[in-house]
Amino acid sequence: DERWLISGRARSGGGFAAIYTPLMFEVERIGAEEVLAYTGCDAQPDLGFGVVVGTGGRAISVKDGEVIPTEVPGGPDLSSVAVDASGRAWATSIASVWLHQPEEGHSWSLVWQDTAWNVPFVSVFADVGRVIAMTIDGAVVEGRWEPNPA
């Protein structure tokens, strides 16, 4: 409630990602990656974990104050992101859903793709074991996540 993860495009051009503390009138800019825009962010404050996503497959993970830049394979323009209660981040791009699992380092993996879909996702909701993403034209993809047995 006292700190917010925010993202967008800076007036000067390029992506803008920051941690905003409104009661202290403080903005702590994070990330120095060259990116056209950061298009979405989400966090789980109880876990001390948040993610910012943007164009060119750029992503920033923030874990307990540590900023970790990452990149989604193939550099897709990411449009939205959600972090579930277990700390998994789910990001979307045109025709694709990507997963970042904290126990697997800083990599992203493709978990759903349908190249017949040619519109961007605009929102994603994630809960433990479940993800729902919606495109700009109202199409919905819903999936379940189950860990692979070792």
Side-chain angles (χ1 to χ4, degrees):
D1 292 342
E2 297 174 7
R3 295 175 51 158
W4 303 341
L5 186 59
I6 59 175
S7 64
R9 184 170 164 83
R11 287 184 188 172
S12 60
F16 177 83
I19 298 173
Y20 176 49
T21 310
L23 298 176
M24 301 302 291
F25 303 103
E26 292 177 355
V27 176
E28 176 190 349
R29 197 158 181 175
I30 59 172
E33 295 289 320
E34 290 293 324
V35 60
L36 183 61
Y38 286 113
T39 53
C41 59
D42 192 32
Q44 283 289 338
D46 294 343
L47 300 176
F49 180 66
V51 177
V52 178
V53 296
T55 59
R58 305 295 178 144
I60 301 171
S61 297
V62 181
K63 177 68 175 161
D64 297 324
E66 180 184 3
V67 177
I68 306 160
T70 62
E71 191 169 338
V72 173
D77 290 337
L78 302 171
S79 54
S80 59
V81 65
V83 178
D84 68 25
S86 64
R88 288 181 202 84
W90 302 82
T92 60
S93 62
I94 292 178
S96 303
V97 177
W98 301 86
L99 174 62
H100 174 272
Q101 297 185 68
E103 62 271 8
E104 292 185 9
H106 305 297
S107 63
W108 289 84
S109 56
L110 182 64
V111 293
W112 180 86
Q113 184 173 44
D114 186 341
T115 55
W117 291 42
N118 59 3
V119 295
F121 285 96
V122 292
S123 72
V124 60
F125 167 81
D127 199 359
V128 177
R130 182 176 179 195
V131 64
I132 303 169
M134 186 174 72
T135 66
I136 197 165
D137 64 358
V140 175
V141 169
E142 181 174 357
R144 296 183 50 83
W145 180 87
E146 295 178 8
N148 291 332

